[in-house]
Amino acid sequence: MSETATHNKETRGFQSEVKQLLHLMIHSLYSNKEIFLRELISNASDAADKLRFQALSAPELYQGNADLGVKLSFDTEANTLTIADNGIGMTREEVITHLGTIAKSGTAEFFSQLSQEQSKDSQLIGQFGVGFYSAFIVADSVTVRTRAATASEDQAVLWHSQGEGEYTIEDTQKASRGTEIILHMRDEGKEFLSEWRLREVIGKYSDHIGIPVSIQTTVRDEDGNETDQKQWEQINKAQALWTRSKSEISDEEYQEFYKHVAHDYSDPLTWSHNRVEGKNDYTSLLYIPAKAPWDLFNRDHKSGLKLYVQRVFIMDDAEQFMPSYLRFVRGLIDSNDLPLNVSREILQDNKVTQSLRSACTKRVLSMLEKLAKNSPEKYQAFWQEFGLVLKEGPAEDFANKEKLAGLLRFASTHNDNNEQTVALADYVERMKEGQDKIYYLTADSYLAAKNSPHLEQFKAKGIEVILMFDRIDEYVMNYLTEFGGKAFQSITKAGLDLSQFDDEGEKAQQQETEQEFKSVVERTQSYLGDRVKEVRTTFKLANTPAVVVTDDFEMGTQMAKLLEAAGQAAPKVNYIFELNPNHSLVKQMADEADEVQFGRWVELLLGQAMLAERGSLDDPSLFLGSVNALLVNR
Ligand code: ADP
């Protein structure tokens, strides 16, 4: 091949992320090198799916050959393994984008997170999806010959690379449609140039693939001796996994299939496979991954199921079948009711889509319920990875609110740690006699929540409080009003009333103190004017002199912070200032006759309360000045 100029040959550099991926992959995945076969066979099968789909409207793309399949052959002298398919193929432009760049945003950030710790990196790279590039785990050079289904014989493309910084691309001839990948093996890859090894690995990775995967084998004579003749031998069942009956499918097969559909490297946490007949006729196979993908919270994260109609692959990432809060679910749906020419637009507002979506949603939620019930440890692992996404549920899915509430997990004062392990059902079961509300507190962090002065009376009375410190929690609580017939009550709201747990003697004592303290409240109110909504006495504190709370239907601190973070002008929160008349600082303030000095006391206590509640002050110098003056005038 010396006619470079006539073949339009060019040398191009890989995008820098590809270089990083190649480097890391070769160094962290060598212990699991056989996965390159899974990735390449998976790509070949996807290419067949795409061709079949396009041929629905353009049957001429088959060019007279609709028998789709993948063929593997090897040559021990040349040291090569060839994986050939007759799928959709690629044009020159497609080769350049698909085999030279990684077209996912956030990739650079992803790589910058990787450490040099190889065990961890192999996990992360797996989540990222190694795909085609995994060929370089076993090969020191890779050649791709490909002809798009739309291209003619002399419009084929030859790609070649040694997996270092660059690759070459040129025009070539190819007699038939599809892609041929030729791996020139490193020493570590030579084990795959063997019939039995290929048979073993392909058997494992391709049974669920819907098209035949064959290897070239040597024909043996009647005595079992090798002859010079070769034959193609189909290795897999070539029946799409989801079309088989559940009882015939092993866990390993489900797991392998997951890796194929999800382009994931690790096993899924759990799955659910169902064939449904009746009003809607469909099969669904839904998986919950074990690990969150690296880009779950990226705006352009691709979510959704693979859509098949009557066994024919229609599209990837059909997000219409899952609500956004379940965007981590992988798998497929195969419908017999949708038309074969269905498009994303048609799916948008289609009755079948809607009912499949609601059925799939229910299916996932009950799969999660089952997981929580039968393997709490696995559910906890799920929560760790996807809890934040599931928390978007109550706001998005009114119909399944109660179910979703049951799946949420929180930290609480019951456990002395920040792990989110408490289910609302556990909380309700532990409720005190006479308690009719689920008490919760939202804060910036676990520590802020745990040490909040609002908790003091709950500790004293032995009442459990749910501690929330994820950013989304305040938002979630706008949508969750009750669980199991018990209303939620924020403990930083003015409506909080625990008097039912006080004894009569205590109540009488409190009324008396409140009466005595009335003038101090009035003095404080007149000093503060409209800086607070109200000043009042509280008996819910033990070691804290004062707190601020908000009215039940007013915006709270965390909500205000959320809005601010979302770019809105800092909203004004109308705080109610509550004083603890039994605290010695408050008593000193009450005894202060001098109005100027009294004002300083108010600044000190209000400032403290605001710091505990919000972590910041509107006017720090006023606070500091008052504190200093108080100390000097002691
Ligand atoms: P992924 O499969 O996750 O998209 P890969 O790196 O494996 O990532 O492949 C990148 C792209 O290259 C594929 O999405 C596909 O468009 C194209 N490709 C890879 N292998 C083939 C093939 N055998 N036939 C046609 N296109 C292919």
Side-chain angles (χ1 to χ4, degrees):
M1 271 182 261
S2 56
E3 333 71 317
T4 33
T6 53
H7 285 93
N8 202 4
K9 180 167 179 173
E10 47 178 331
T11 300
R12 303 178 68 110
F14 283 121
Q15 182 194 24
S16 66
E17 287 87 336
V18 176
K19 283 188 229 168
Q20 272 174 296
L21 174 63
L22 284 168
H23 178 82
L24 279 164
M25 200 180 53
I26 293 167
H27 290 93
S28 51
L29 294 183
Y30 57 86
S31 59
N32 195 3
K33 49 185 182 281
E34 65 185 37
I35 58 149
F36 80 96
L37 272 172
R38 175 179 80 211
E39 300 294 319
L40 297 182
I41 294 173
S42 186
N43 279 349
S45 148
D46 288 347
D49 273 348
K50 286 180 198 158
L51 175 64
R52 210 179 271 139
F53 171 65
Q54 290 194 12
L56 287 173
S57 52
E60 66 278 7
L61 290 178
Y62 280 132
Q63 299 168 357
N65 178 11
D67 289 333
L68 301 174
V70 191
K71 289 182 164 163
L72 289 96
S73 54
F74 62 88
D75 180 335
T76 42
E77 267 160 40
N79 248 333
T80 56
L81 173 68
T82 300
I83 295 127
D85 67 62
N86 56 358
I88 191 82
M90 283 177 274
T91 63
R92 189 176 180 114
E93 286 68 41
E94 284 167 343
V95 171
I96 292 171
T97 41
H98 295 323
L99 310 186
T101 65
I102 300 174
K104 297 178 192 164
S105 66
T107 305
E109 291 89 318
F110 174 79
F111 280 112
S112 66
Q113 288 169 20
L114 293 182
S115 64
Q116 293 309 314
E117 226 183 290
Q118 285 177 355
S119 56
K120 201 168 134 236
D121 287 348
S122 71
Q123 268 286 335
L124 286 166
I125 285 193
Q127 272 163 269
F128 183 82
V130 285
F132 166 78
Y133 301 107
S134 64
F136 289 100
I137 304 173
V138 289
D140 53 22
S141 83
V142 176
T143 305
V144 179
R145 291 179 69 236
T146 182
R147 173 178 159 191
T150 48
S152 62
E153 184 168 351
D154 52 7
Q155 286 174 325
V157 185
L158 185 72
W159 179 100
H160 180 82
S161 175
Q162 279 155 357
E164 275 151 13
E166 51 189 38
Y167 62 92
T168 59
I169 185 165
E170 65 192 287
D171 296 342
T172 192
Q173 302 261 326
K174 189 170 180 293
S176 59
R177 158 199 89 221
T179 303
E180 197 176 278
I181 296 173
I182 305 147
L183 310 180
H184 185 268
M185 293 302 203
R186 304 170 190 278
D187 283 344
E188 302 92 301
K190 287 187 180 147
E191 66 185 80
F192 297 99
L193 307 179
S194 126
E195 224 174 277
W196 74 263
R197 185 77 173 108
L198 282 181
R199 209 185 280 273
E200 177 190 54
V201 182
I202 299 169
K204 176 160 146 201
Y205 290 141
S206 65
D207 244 357
H208 57 265
I209 299 249
I211 53 172
V213 177
S214 314
I215 59 172
Q216 193 172 42
T217 56
T218 307
V219 179
R220 291 173 188 267
D221 64 20
E222 284 157 6
D223 303 326
N225 298 320
E226 292 191 352
T227 67
D228 292 342
Q229 279 177 310
K230 299 273 184 192
Q231 63 185 0
W232 289 110
E233 188 182 326
Q234 185 175 326
I235 300 292
N236 65 340
K237 295 194 185 74
Q239 187 187 356
L241 179 109
W242 70 94
T243 63
R244 290 161 51 195
S245 92
K246 270 160 92 160
S247 56
E248 280 176 18
I249 308 174
S250 69
D251 283 0
E252 288 72 30
E253 284 179 296
Y254 276 121
Q255 286 164 348
E256 275 312 321
F257 187 70
Y258 164 76
K259 292 173 187 167
H260 167 64
V261 282
H263 294 273
D264 195 352
Y265 179 80
S266 19
D267 286 335
L269 204 57
T270 181
W271 58 85
S272 166
H273 180 195
N274 295 90
R275 181 164 307 155
V276 178
E277 283 162 13
K279 191 161 79 74
N280 291 304
D281 191 348
Y282 69 94
T283 301
S284 63
L285 174 51
L286 307 172
Y287 289 96
I288 310 284
K291 289 264 163 221
W294 60 287
D295 60 348
L296 187 60
F297 288 96
N298 278 10
R299 200 174 287 258
D300 58 355
H301 165 71
K302 286 226 167 52
S303 60
L305 307 176
K306 270 180 190 278
L307 173 66
Y308 287 77
V309 171
Q310 296 162 36
R311 318 267 178 278
V312 180
F313 168 78
I314 305 292
M315 66 180 77
D316 278 313
D317 316 317
E319 73 280 358
Q320 294 84 351
F321 297 98
M322 276 294 151
S324 157
Y325 70 90
L326 295 180
R327 60 184 175 275
F328 50 83
V329 174
R330 304 277 110 181
L332 62 88
I333 183 150
D334 185 349
S335 161
N336 283 335
D337 305 310
L338 288 166
L340 275 164
N341 64 355
V342 68
S343 63
R344 277 182 204 274
E345 291 66 41
I346 295 179
L347 281 182
Q348 274 308 333
D349 40 23
N350 178 294
K351 277 224 172 71
V352 178
T353 313
Q354 278 164 15
S355 78
L356 291 185
R357 176 190 171 106
S358 109
C360 288
T361 305
K362 290 221 164 65
R363 189 78 70 195
V364 173
L365 296 181
S366 38
M367 179 161 47
L368 290 174
E369 279 172 342
K370 219 164 102 190
L371 191 69
K373 190 157 160 254
N374 300 339
S375 15
E377 265 170 37
K378 276 192 177 179
Y379 189 77
Q380 212 46 54
F382 160 79
W383 183 259
Q384 196 90 9
E385 292 291 314
F386 299 108
L388 272 181
V389 187
L390 203 70
K391 279 187 182 176
E392 296 170 13
E396 201 186 323
D397 189 350
F398 190 76
N400 291 305
K401 213 153 85 169
E402 185 80 10
K403 248 188 200 310
L404 277 161
L407 289 168
L408 301 179
R409 295 292 180 270
F410 300 100
S412 99
T413 51
H414 181 74
N415 303 352
D416 205 18
N417 61 48
N418 65 352
E419 280 168 39
Q420 301 182 357
T421 54
V422 175
L424 292 172
D426 304 337
Y427 180 96
V428 170
E429 219 180 276
R430 288 193 289 258
M431 275 169 50
K432 268 184 86 116
E433 176 111 11
Q435 184 183 344
D436 59 351
K437 294 207 166 69
I438 300 174
Y439 296 108
Y440 72 93
L441 169 69
T442 52
D444 277 347
S445 65
Y446 171 67
L447 275 183
K450 182 184 138 164
N451 298 322
S452 164
H454 295 290
L455 285 176
E456 288 174 1
Q457 66 172 337
F458 288 87
K459 284 184 193 143
K461 296 188 159 70
I463 301 171
E464 180 174 354
V465 177
I466 289 179
L467 304 178
M468 303 186 185
F469 40 86
D470 282 333
R471 213 175 219 204
I472 188 173
D473 287 333
E474 185 72 27
Y475 172 73
V476 180
M477 295 316 290
N478 282 338
Y479 294 88
L480 281 185
T481 47
E482 57 159 61
F483 174 78
K486 312 276 185 237
F488 283 101
Q489 169 72 53
S490 160
I491 67 165
T492 64
K493 291 289 184 184
L496 177 68
D497 178 11
L498 294 185
S499 57
Q500 68 192 102
F501 301 104
D502 295 335
D503 64 42
E504 291 306 316
E506 253 178 314
K507 276 187 203 164
Q509 176 67 46
Q510 287 177 2
Q511 267 169 9
E512 203 177 304
T513 312
E514 190 166 352
Q515 208 49 41
E516 288 166 19
F517 204 67
K518 214 167 156 201
S519 64
V520 182
V521 166
E522 281 163 7
R523 266 173 96 192
T524 310
Q525 178 79 66
S526 79
Y527 171 82
L528 286 172
D530 60 7
R531 282 170 60 194
V532 295
K533 186 171 172 183
E534 194 190 329
V535 179
R536 61 191 197 192
T537 313
T538 184
F539 294 99
K540 67 185 176 196
L541 301 172
N543 305 320
T544 305
V547 288
V548 288
V549 297
T550 47
D551 254 338
D552 283 1
F553 299 102
E554 288 225 38
M555 177 171 42
T557 307
Q558 294 303 319
M559 195 64 203
K561 282 189 177 176
L562 261 186
L563 292 175
E564 219 176 318
Q568 302 195 16
K572 179 162 164 40
V573 179
N574 292 315
Y575 286 109
I576 296 169
F577 184 34
E578 296 188 332
L579 292 166
N580 171 5
N582 298 321
H583 195 280
S584 61
L585 278 182
V586 180
K587 285 183 179 156
Q588 285 191 49
M589 172 176 99
D591 291 344
E592 181 58 63
D594 180 62
E595 282 309 313
V596 177
Q597 192 71 352
F598 182 83
R600 289 171 180 150
W601 276 111
V602 177
E603 292 298 348
L604 166 77
L605 295 179
L606 179 64
Q608 285 189 359
M610 289 304 296
L611 279 172
E613 176 67 17
R614 204 176 61 178
S616 67
L617 296 173
D618 287 336
D619 186 352
S621 64
L622 175 61
F623 173 71
L624 294 172
S626 307
V627 174
N628 292 344
L630 272 180
L631 292 173
V632 170
N633 296 327
R634 219 147 35 120

